[in-house]
Amino acid sequence: MALKVLSALDVAKTQYYHFKAIIIAGMGLFTDSYDLFCIPPIMTLIGRIYYPKVNQGDSDQKQKHWFEVPTVIASTMIVIALIGTSIGQLIFGRLGDRVGRRYVYGVSLMMMVMGSFGCGFSLSRLTSMMFVSLGFFRFLLGIGIGGDYPLSATIMSEFANKRTRGAFIAGVFSMQGFGILLSSLVTMIVCLIFKACADELISPSELKPMENVARVPPESDVAWRLILMIGAIPASMTYYWRMKMPETARFTALVERNTSQAAKDMEKVLNVSLSSIQEDIEMMNTPNTRAPLLNTYPFFSREFFRRHGRDLVAASINWFLVDIVFYSLNFFQYHTFRSLLTSKSRVNIYDDALQVAKLQAIIAVSATIPGYFATVYMIDKVGRVKIQAGGFVFMAVSLFTGARVYKGGSDSDPSVGFIVLYGFTLFFSNFGPNTTTFIVPAELFPARFRATCHGISGAVGKVGAIIGSVGYLWGSHDPPDGHAVSRMLSAMGGVCVLGFFVTYFFTRETMGRSLEENENVDELTGVWFVRFWPKKFWATRSETNIGD
């Protein structure tokens, strides 16, 4: 028999505090995605302001590359935040297990707030110094973002009941879609306001024949800074409520070994009486109750790898693979659909950023957010493994088909079929591995290592995001034959195929079981840690013996 307080958590009815916890934890993911995915229109504005030179003799093909931030700088601005995110996941994941989820939860949030404001207050208008300052604060922002991933997932998993735990964690992660949408809406609103207040706005095509600098309103340098600083508002609003959250009962009972305090904390937030969850002395001495309290093997020990090595490797590889695709497709939508956008030479600075943000918002509403909703609805009915494996399969099919359908070349408009396939890819990434890779690590590992292992999985995932983003940006920039995007899509399809096999052979299902039941599965079952072969093998042998 398990601890009363943990059993009560597993069977607790869905109530007000569960939804409150989703909002409190989800606001971190909301801010994360806002800050990470506002960068495409921001780079558009910065390119117009800090790289204003034009060559009137350029062809229409070359004019499409006017005002672009140099590839090495653009990739650095993306990568520096992702490196910070990876480091933050490792640091805060470990601190969450050593110090407590609640105590470091507010620290990561404040780092996000400071990073957002710091990005807006980049110290100089001198180009080189501006990028150095922006890079530093995006790195700081990334550390705060990284810290939020393992803490939000762990806290939500430890508060939820086992029947709807997947939906609750997916609900937290679905806030990422709304963060992407808000970053686009804020960009559009800011640009429209600044455009309405501008005295004179001309497109580069209207320059006099001898002019080689496209002038921009001086106040436009404030616009992109304002967009970045607005990202601090949701995080700031959430800080008070995060500090009011009690420590999770599982951390208090299983890590701090204080079941009495765990019961008192749980009584404060969930509709249960203290008498029904207060542990009896006799209850504490039963073998099943002592088991989770007596697991004292250290982190990264031989016993840890025997029990949890396969789960950690599988979770990390799956997250690595999906982030290669997810971040590439989301960061560079404007690049894939460049031919649908008006040439930079024919629009002013605000309209240029507007069209990038509008494209991002349309894709978020039509594909990204519906994918999150589908996962919330289906995750506790279908299961994590089926959704993750199916998502990888449908992503691969969409990417391979899209690579064949894509016309190639920046002068060719993508067909309706390609646009639909692109949307399907993003839909099934969210109704699939992008969401489940966030959920599964929060359910597989013991309370003592839960945030740490989630942080490791996420950090490996962000390495994949770095590889995918930089590879896509450099691989699709000025291709000699116009088919680089098709090749990149095919490569990402191959990544999804690999993700399907890792999921199918190595990822364990966690649906419908308590967190303690998930952590106690014997990892030695399996041929080379493959998850299902022995069960089928021994079942076949048993049937054969019975028949004999």
Side-chain angles (χ1 to χ4, degrees), residues 179-202:
I180 295 173
L181 178 60
L182 183 69
S183 69
S184 303
L185 295 177
V186 167
T187 300
M188 290 190 282
I189 292 169
V190 169
C191 287
L192 287 171
I193 292 173
F194 275 72
K195 178 183 175 181
C197 297
D199 293 331
E200 182 182 3
L201 282 174
I202 63 171

Side-chain angles (χ1 to χ4, degrees), residues 72-140:
V72 65
I73 295 178
S75 57
T76 300
M77 290 300 104
I78 292 172
V79 165
I80 196 72
L82 294 174
I83 292 174
T85 302
S86 184
I87 294 173
Q89 287 173 315
L90 294 174
I91 293 175
F92 281 95
R94 191 61 182 146
L95 287 175
D97 286 333
R98 296 299 298 271
V99 181
R101 288 77 158 111
R102 174 180 176 274
Y103 289 108
V104 294
Y105 208 19
V107 177
S108 68
L109 201 67
M110 289 312 299
M111 291 189 70
M112 288 160 52
V113 172
M114 291 188 293
S116 296
F117 277 120
C119 289
F121 286 111
S122 296
L123 302 177
S124 174
R125 287 197 61 184
L126 185 66
T127 302
S128 58
M129 289 303 299
M130 185 278 295
F131 279 118
V132 169
S133 177
L134 181 61
F136 170 78
F137 285 110
R138 281 193 67 76
F139 178 74
L140 180 67

Side-chain angles (χ1 to χ4, degrees), residues 43-44 46-48 51 53 63-71 74 334-335 338 344 473 477-478:
M43 285 292 110
T44 300
I46 289 176
R48 300 289 295 242
Y51 297 91
K53 291 186 178 181
Q63 286 179 13
K64 292 181 178 180
H65 297 289
W66 284 1
F67 319 119
E68 284 191 354
V69 176
T71 306
Y334 72 96
H335 189 80
R338 186 192 293 272
K344 292 175 177 290
L473 182 60
H477 189 75
D478 286 335

